[in-house]
Amino acid sequence: MDETTTEVAASEPVLGAPTFPPGTTLREYETIFALKPELADEAVDRFKERVRSLIHREQGKAIKFTVWGKKKTQYELERQNRATYVHVDYLGQGGLVAEIERNLRMSDDVVRYQTVKLGDEVSADKPVEQDLKLAGDADQPERPPREERERREEFGGDGGGEGEEFESA
Amino acid sequence: MAPYKERANREDVPAAGGRRRGGFGRKKVCRFCADHNLKIDYKEANALKLFVTERAKIIPRRISGNCAKHQREVARAIKRARILALLPFTVAQHS
């Protein structure tokens, strides 16, 4: 895969975002979801926009999207050791979380998601921040398989004369 | 005898309650109480690794020195990070 830096971010700011009367307070949530690693950058962006329109449709306000990039996972998710993480910060009511999670659950590209409440009475005027895209730690070379590592270490160390015991057997 | 005295007079040992169990060890201070700028965040897996053993178990507060409140927060953050696969639940051991 070659790097194609697509500068899609934040060119279309708050399209279709609902407006709130002054003094409205909403709850603030953050959702992190992990997407399958084989998803291309454009597909991730498309997914991001889908979530954004979903938030706006459900009378919420998307504050910030951060794509963490492809990261190594600490255990296998759907038989893969990598995933593309996306972090969403948004305002809304409780029903919005249920709707977002329902959509994430139904998507085959999502391997993990988790929502955390950040605040209870957050003003709906909270400014929208620009989307971020981080590099991730993806394409680091894998460690060589175990046998190969051991063989290398063998060459480094001294023989130590242990072989004689085996000869007599 | 002399080394013992020196130890008791060390500056980093707090004057009151500094010695426990007959003079062994130093009173541990909760690092989150000592430095309020330190934040516990489940998204920062590298920071949480300090509170997890090699086998990925949560380190008890009798070892880490955290106060009860912050230990609860650390434990919650570790559990959240585990769900997102930012931290492992367990580490397989090679025989």
Side-chain angles (χ1 to χ4, degrees), chain A residues 30 74-75 85 112 114, chain B residues 42-43 82-86:
Chain A
E30 66 180 0
Q74 294 292 319
Y75 52 88
Y85 286 91
R112 267 288 193 289
Q114 180 176 247
Chain B
Y42 70 95
K43 296 185 288 284
R82 280 175 178 169
I83 292 172
L84 289 169
L86 302 175

Side-chain angles (χ1 to χ4, degrees), chain A residues 21-77:
Chain A
T24 313
T25 57
L26 295 164
R27 296 201 188 100
E28 183 171 11
Y29 298 97
E30 66 180 0
T31 296
I32 296 175
F33 51 90
L35 298 166
K36 284 186 177 167
E38 57 263 25
L39 238 59
D41 275 9
E42 300 84 65
V44 173
D45 280 329
R46 234 178 295 134
F47 200 92
K48 206 174 78 176
E49 293 312 319
R50 229 180 84 192
V51 174
R52 195 198 306 274
S53 63
L54 181 69
I55 292 172
H56 292 159
R57 204 177 67 211
E58 295 289 319
Q59 301 304 304
K61 184 177 184 183
I63 301 290
K64 189 180 188 181
F65 278 76
T66 311
V67 179
W68 289 358
K70 222 175 281 181
K71 282 169 79 81
K72 205 166 180 307
T73 57
Q74 294 292 319
Y75 52 88
E76 284 190 2
L77 295 177

Side-chain angles (χ1 to χ4, degrees), chain A residues 73-115:
Chain A
T73 57
Q74 294 292 319
Y75 52 88
E76 284 190 2
L77 295 177
E78 303 209 351
R79 292 164 201 262
Q80 305 234 42
N81 277 319
R82 297 178 181 283
T84 306
Y85 286 91
V86 182
H87 171 262
V88 198
D89 190 344
Y90 56 97
L91 306 176
Q93 306 287 349
L96 169 62
V97 176
E99 182 60 19
I100 289 175
E101 294 202 336
R102 192 179 67 85
N103 277 270
L104 294 178
R105 206 177 307 129
M106 283 197 302
S107 169
D108 289 336
D109 296 329
V110 178
V111 290
R112 267 288 193 289
Y113 60 85
Q114 180 176 247
T115 305

Side-chain angles (χ1 to χ4, degrees), chain B residues 40-58:
Chain B
I40 303 169
D41 188 357
Y42 70 95
K43 296 185 288 284
E44 285 175 22
N46 281 338
L48 292 175
K49 273 185 186 155
L50 290 174
F51 299 100
V52 155
T53 65
E54 275 180 36
R55 273 273 197 149
K57 294 163 136 192
I58 297 174

Side-chain angles (χ1 to χ4, degrees), chain B:
Chain B
M1 300 304 118
Y4 178 80
K5 251 188 167 173
E6 270 172 35
R7 188 179 172 77
N9 289 335
R10 260 167 39 184
E11 280 182 348
D12 56 348
V13 179
R19 288 195 284 140
R20 302 177 306 159
R21 295 189 291 270
F24 291 105
R26 186 163 71 93
K27 172 117 175 109
K28 291 181 186 116
V29 180
C30 172
R31 66 179 78 194
F32 299 103
C33 291
D35 183 357
H36 288 283
N37 295 324
L38 279 180
K39 287 277 179 286
I40 303 169
D41 188 357
Y42 70 95
K43 296 185 288 284
E44 285 175 22
N46 281 338
L48 292 175
K49 273 185 186 155
L50 290 174
F51 299 100
V52 155
T53 65
E54 275 180 36
R55 273 273 197 149
K57 294 163 136 192
I58 297 174
I59 292 177
R61 73 191 192 90
R62 101 182 110 82
I63 313 275
S64 67
N66 287 344
C67 70
K69 178 185 173 187
H70 287 120
Q71 179 70 9
R72 278 198 302 274
E73 288 180 21
V74 167
R76 194 183 305 132
I78 290 171
K79 289 169 188 176
R80 282 177 178 167
R82 280 175 178 169
I83 292 172
L84 289 169
L86 302 175
L87 282 181
F89 281 96
T90 180
V91 178
Q93 296 286 299
H94 298 292
S95 55

